[in-house]
């Protein structure tokens, strides 16, 4: 069966409403926290992507009972440090850095050695960034240059630590936070601003956490060894998955779109803030708070004029997964756009800053990479009439989906490989595109 799609026509104008599957970050965090709770937790709208299914599979190997149903997922936890597993097990995190890094934080009490591995892409990513702080709790690790596979053996007596997270990585911060749950005493974290889903879940569960918020740094204190109550959760729609349809609409003439019940956590809406600065029309309606998370319906309209931007670097962390799409919008701007301090882009499933440049080169858009930043010379009149092939991108789901958006809005004849990469985060992506009128074969 072929593992590519061909696109050779623009998407026609549309005016529709869609619903996106559950947030991937929240789906994984719900499962991990529920596995440490005492009793049955139930989730609705759980994302059934490979990353989340791998999370459930890892937890099953650790002795957690899980029932995955059509509309819900039931998970029965036995409390803190309750994993019950065979002596020799290997946990496969697949493509998920979130799973690989966060579950490691829950294993600092493991009695036996556990191997954690991932796919080819995840095996190139840096795990030293969690190994080093988790060692301070007392866990022991073996790895080759901090890459997967890694071996962890826990300690019977983890001790609280003081941790400085200076990369703006929510995964590193959350890994230490989860380790702190199983550690008697107060763990202190000084963290550069990043996504705060874990903090909000801790607060909702009334776990003993205190947060002192600053402009650039958060000071977090967690008092460990406190029981976790079960968590029933209707997971809101994913803003990162919604982003593909936001940009598709912005770049499609005479189109508009409503996306229902989207998670608009302030640490996740950098894309929206940046696009508004570039002239894209986006509105939030029916805004509400659900278990600490901010949710709204998103209304997007096609933009007649895209403005160039000197992107504020303080928005980088809240848009880190969406920059490939933002670069597409900059390609249509009437002028030159600047993006700086994007080193974290190259810590993702593929070197995304490089791939952003490659996609722009394929479009014929002049760009220059320099010092972990990129300068993009926009062309508002750009329409393609050439063959473009996208392949060998380490099966990075966001490279595939960004290429689909580019093909539908810039024209040309595209052949995009590794369509199965969408199973990592957004299995229904192509069906959603078809619903809006996209045609591909």
């Amino acid at each position: 069966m072929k593992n590519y799609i061909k696109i050779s026509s623009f998407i026609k104008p549309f005016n529709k409403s869609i619903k996106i599957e559950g947030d991937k970050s929240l789906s994984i965090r719900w499962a991990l926290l529920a596995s440490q709770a005492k009793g049955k937790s139930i989730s609705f709208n759980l994302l059934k992507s490979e990353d989340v299914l791998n999370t459930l599979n890892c937890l099953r190997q650790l002795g957690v009972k899980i029932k995955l149903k059509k509309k819900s997922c039931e998970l029965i936890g036995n409390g803190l440090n309750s994993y019950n597993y065979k002596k020799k097990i290997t946990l496969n995190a697949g493509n998920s850095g979130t799973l690989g890094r966060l579950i490691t934080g829950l294993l600092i009490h493991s009695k036996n050695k556990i191997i954690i591995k991932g796919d080819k892409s995840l095996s190139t990513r840096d795990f030293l960034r969690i190994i080093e702080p988790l060692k301070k709790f007392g866990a022991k690790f073996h790895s080759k240059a901090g890459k997967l596979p890694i071996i962890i053996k826990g300690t019977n007596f983890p001790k609280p630590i003081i941790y400085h997270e200076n990369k703006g990585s929510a995964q590193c911060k959350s890994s230490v936070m989860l380790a702190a749950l199983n550690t008697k005493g107060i763990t202190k974290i000084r963290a550069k601003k990043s996504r705060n889903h874990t903090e909000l879940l801790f607060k909702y569960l009334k776990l003993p956490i205190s947060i002192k918020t600053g402009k650039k740094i958060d000071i977090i204190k967690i008092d460990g060894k406190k029981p976790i109550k079960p968590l029933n959760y209707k997971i809101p729609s994913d803003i990162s998955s919604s982003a593909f349809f936001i940009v598709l609409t912005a770049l499609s003439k005479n189109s508009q779109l409503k996306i229902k019940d989207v998670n608009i956590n302030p640490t996740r809406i950098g894309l929206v803030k940046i696009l508004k600065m570039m002239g894209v029309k986006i509105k939030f309606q029916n805004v509400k708070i659900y278990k600490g998370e901010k949710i709204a319906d998103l209304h997007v309209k096609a933009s007649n004029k895209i403005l160039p931007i000197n992107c504020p670097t303080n928005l980088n962390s809240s848009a880190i997964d969406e920059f490939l799409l933002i670069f597409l919008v900059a390609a249509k701007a009437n002028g030159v756009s600047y993006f700086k301090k994007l080193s974290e882009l190259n810590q993702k499933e593929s070197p995304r800053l490089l791939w952003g440049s490659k996609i722009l080169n394929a479009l014929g858009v002049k760009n220059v990479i320099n010092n972990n930043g990129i300068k993009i010379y926009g062309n508002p009149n750009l329409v393609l009439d050439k063959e473009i092939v996208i392949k060998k991108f380490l099966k990075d789901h966001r490279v595939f989906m960004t290429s689909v958006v580019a093909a539908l809005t810039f024209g040309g004849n595209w052949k995009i490989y590794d369509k199965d990469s969408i199973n990592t985060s957004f299995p229904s992506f192509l069906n959603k595109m078809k619903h809006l009128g996209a045609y591909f074969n």
Side-chain angles (χ1 to χ4, degrees):
M1 186 176 178
K2 67 180 184 181
N3 194 24
Y4 61 82
I5 63 169
K6 291 182 177 180
I7 301 176
S8 56
S9 58
F10 287 94
I11 192 167
K12 294 179 180 178
F14 55 84
N15 182 355
K16 292 194 176 182
S17 174
I18 60 172
K19 171 84 171 173
I20 302 293
E21 284 84 346
D23 186 288
K24 180 158 72 83
S25 294
L26 285 172
S27 293
I28 293 173
R29 282 166 171 81
W30 169 81
L32 295 178
L33 279 169
S35 76
Q36 295 288 284
K38 184 71 174 174
K40 182 192 289 187
S41 297
I42 303 174
S43 70
F44 303 91
N45 201 37
L46 185 81
L47 176 64
K48 295 176 183 176
S49 71
E50 285 181 351
D51 283 0
V52 179
L53 295 178
N54 282 334
T55 301
L56 301 182
N57 287 336
C58 287
L59 292 174
R60 286 190 179 104
Q61 284 184 264
L62 292 168
V64 180
K65 293 182 179 179
I66 300 170
K67 289 183 180 179
L68 183 59
K69 301 179 179 180
K70 187 174 182 180
K71 293 185 178 181
S72 66
C73 180
E74 296 179 2
L75 192 153
I76 300 175
N78 289 308
L80 292 170
N81 190 30
S82 62
Y83 293 149
N84 184 17
Y85 53 92
K86 297 178 181 179
K87 279 192 175 181
K88 293 182 179 179
I89 63 169
T90 298
L91 303 179
N92 187 355
N95 187 254
S96 177
T98 302
L99 169 58
R101 290 177 176 139
L102 269 61
I103 201 167
T104 306
L106 288 175
L107 298 176
I108 62 163
H109 246 300
S110 57
K111 296 176 183 178
N112 302 306
K113 291 179 180 179
I114 295 176
I115 299 171
I116 301 172
K117 70 176 186 178
D119 68 5
K120 183 178 179 181
S121 172
L122 189 60
S123 297
T124 67
R125 295 172 69 179
D126 176 23
F127 271 69
L128 272 179
R129 53 175 57 190
I130 63 157
I131 289 173
E132 293 303 326
L134 295 181
K135 275 183 177 179
K136 293 179 181 179
F137 284 98
K140 294 179 180 179
F141 289 86
H142 176 74
S143 71
K144 291 183 179 180
K147 302 289 197 300
L148 294 183
I150 63 174
I151 300 173
I152 178 175
K153 186 177 187 303
T155 174
N156 289 328
F157 304 103
K159 54 182 184 252
I161 69 169
I162 297 174
Y163 171 54
H164 296 269
E165 196 295 299
N166 56 14
K167 298 180 183 297
S169 168
Q171 292 177 3
C172 295
K173 175 181 64 177
S174 296
S175 181
V176 171
M177 290 176 67
L178 292 175
L181 287 178
N182 271 311
T183 304
K184 189 174 182 179
I186 296 175
T187 292
K188 299 177 183 178
I189 303 170
R190 186 179 186 273
K192 188 176 177 181
K193 288 285 187 184
S194 63
R195 295 180 182 182
N196 69 344
H197 297 306
T198 309
E199 292 95 308
L200 292 177
L201 282 170
F202 274 39
K203 281 185 174 181
Y204 175 74
L205 289 168
K206 295 183 179 178
L207 296 174
I209 179 173
S210 69
I211 304 170
K212 185 178 179 181
T213 303
K215 283 188 177 181
K216 296 182 179 180
I217 299 292
D218 291 338
I219 307 296
I220 303 167
K221 295 181 182 179
I222 299 165
D223 191 1
K225 285 293 184 184
K226 301 298 187 287
I228 303 174
K229 64 181 182 181
L231 173 61
N232 295 337
Y233 203 1
K234 184 179 179 181
I235 298 170
S237 296
D238 196 318
I239 183 69
S240 293
S241 295
S242 301
F244 297 99
F245 298 92
I246 292 171
V247 170
L248 177 78
T249 307
L251 298 180
S252 299
K253 289 183 178 179
N254 302 318
S255 294
Q256 54 183 305
L257 181 66
K258 176 183 177 181
I259 312 175
K260 300 175 183 177
D261 297 324
V262 180
N263 182 355
I264 58 165
N265 180 308
T267 65
R268 294 285 298 279
I269 57 170
L271 168 92
V272 173
K273 292 179 179 179
I274 292 166
L275 294 190
K276 281 186 173 183
M277 293 170 69
M278 299 178 78
V280 178
K281 299 171 183 176
I282 306 173
K283 291 182 179 180
F284 296 150
Q285 293 186 345
N286 301 323
V287 179
K288 55 190 175 185
I289 302 294
Y290 176 73
K291 299 191 178 179
E293 294 286 353
K294 202 173 183 180
I295 301 169
D297 297 336
L298 269 63
H299 290 253
V300 191
K301 288 186 178 182
S303 301
N304 295 324
K305 184 178 181 181
I306 303 293
L307 305 174
I309 188 173
N310 186 354
C311 187
T313 57
N314 67 330
L315 295 177
N316 284 359
S317 65
S318 59
I320 198 65
D321 282 337
E322 288 75 57
F323 271 105
L324 291 178
L325 289 163
I326 293 166
F327 296 163
L328 285 189
V329 179
K332 277 280 192 179
N334 187 18
V336 182
S337 294
Y338 301 85
F339 303 90
K340 303 169 186 173
K341 297 183 179 180
L342 291 174
S343 60
E344 277 297 298
L345 270 186
N346 290 329
Q347 297 297 325
K348 295 293 182 177
E349 286 84 337
S350 69
R352 284 188 186 157
L353 183 58
L354 179 61
W355 264 103
S357 178
K358 284 183 177 181
I359 293 171
L360 291 171
N361 288 336
L363 294 173
V365 175
K366 182 181 176 183
N367 67 93
V368 179
I369 291 180
N370 188 26
N371 294 327
N372 291 316
I374 188 168
K375 184 178 180 181
I376 301 172
Y377 296 79
N379 179 359
N381 300 314
L382 180 62
V383 177
L384 301 183
D385 185 19
K386 62 178 181 177
E387 303 281 338
I388 297 176
V389 177
I390 304 292
K391 62 182 180 178
K392 295 181 180 179
F393 48 86
L394 290 173
K395 296 179 79 73
D396 185 341
H397 50 125
R398 299 197 191 281
V399 172
F400 177 88
M401 292 186 282
T402 298
S403 300
V404 170
V405 174
L408 293 170
T409 55
F410 285 85
N413 297 304
W414 293 65
K415 189 175 185 180
I416 310 169
Y417 282 83
D418 290 329
K419 71 176 182 180
D420 62 345
S421 63
I422 62 175
N423 294 330
T424 295
S425 67
F426 198 176
S428 67
F429 171 75
L430 292 175
N431 288 334
K432 291 280 192 293
M433 283 291 178
K434 284 181 180 178
H435 174 72
L436 295 182
Y439 178 79
F440 35 78
N441 55 32

